[in-house]
Amino acid sequence: MNSIRYIILLTSIFLTLIFLTGCWNSNELNQLAIVTGGGIDKADDNRIRFTVQIHVPSSKKDSNESLGSTSILWADGVNTADALSKLQIKSPRKLFFGQMYVFIINEKFAKENGVRDQLDFLARVPDTRLRNKLFISEDSVDQILSSKTKLEKSSVETLSGISKKLVVPAIDLNYFLQMQEDKGQSAVIPKIRMMEPDQKESNSMTPAIVGTSILKKDRIVGEIDVETTRGLMWFRNKIEHPMITIVLDDEKGSVSFKTLHARTELLPRIENGEWKMTVKTLSSVDVVQNATNLQIPKPDVTEMLEKKLNEDLQKRLEQVVQQVQQKFKTDVLGYAEAIYRKYPKQWYAKKDHWDEIFPEIETEYDLNVKILKPGEYIRQRQ
């Protein structure tokens, strides 16, 4: 009996080892072309041009800097998948998208063709990450990806850095697809443009954020500037410690604050058959500079500054609402989703007329900005 059990055990181990032998579908690093950035333009004959930036490793081993340069490849196709298949033919190595950081969509293409179908393909590529940062560009993708600066080794690193700026919401592929699934079927994507560098000794152009593109369903209907975008960030709960400066004419100076915490709620209600929205915010700030003679730690001064902060924030929010309601008639604020969550039956009854309803919704504001850290320093009056 023991010998039979021993034979069965050995047989089981042997069969298990057969199924564990393998790296048959593995990809060696020296067999991959690592894509760090990509994008789509409109090519001739209504075709799509897919451009990628590929990291080219350096053979040097004794440098203390990050090694490598970049190479640009492009191919045209009837859609993104077709262009990618032709792009693969041009590369001696398998294209690997697991390290792609940014994806750029040409503005003209987005206006004429939309972006949903192409981003749908990108989301389905097995090794693509849904954390790819998205950008809309006035310039061609090839021009953006080919640009270089002194501070970064490649344009992708430049774009990855500016996507972390606090003046515009960083939109990745996952968040964009979520916005498209909202009841308003709209989205926002940061817009970039090739700009002259600040360094006088440099003649090269560099990509910079110039605003935010507004998309209705999946096509661009307009854009807002950086200042208006800061107001939009409050509606989308994408605030990440921005700076706020209040100019006080009476005091002949200004006070700057850093946002420590911010939370916005959209509270819909129905009055006499009409939909209304209350924007409720709760935020705290820290004083980072006082360029006035105000004694901020004093309760009456703190209360006055909080009132000014609430007024400034309301102006920002009103500016956003006015533009998206009247100019673009596109719900990037999330009103539809908020109404659906609270009044699902009423929403389904009128959802087919949302484009006419949204511009007429009245917005009220319940804002509460508190100065959490006024500082202990007391300025001497002059």
Side-chain angles (χ1 to χ4, degrees), residues 98-136:
Q99 294 297 317
M100 186 164 68
Y101 300 110
V102 301
F103 194 80
I104 306 165
I105 307 163
N106 178 260
E107 184 178 45
K108 182 178 179 181
F109 177 91
K111 287 181 177 179
E112 297 179 1
N113 300 82
V115 302
R116 180 59 187 265
D117 291 345
Q118 314 313 323
L119 294 180
D120 176 81
F121 163 78
L122 185 65
R124 296 175 188 273
V125 176
D127 52 10
T128 299
R129 299 185 300 179
L130 293 179
R131 294 303 178 185
N132 281 298
K133 297 298 186 294
L134 301 181
F135 294 95
I136 297 292

Side-chain angles (χ1 to χ4, degrees), residues 31 38 52 72 126 129 189 202 234 307 365 370 374:
Q31 297 175 343
V52 295
I72 305 297
R129 299 185 300 179
I189 299 178
S202 176
W234 289 83
K307 181 180 178 181
Y365 301 91
K370 291 294 183 182

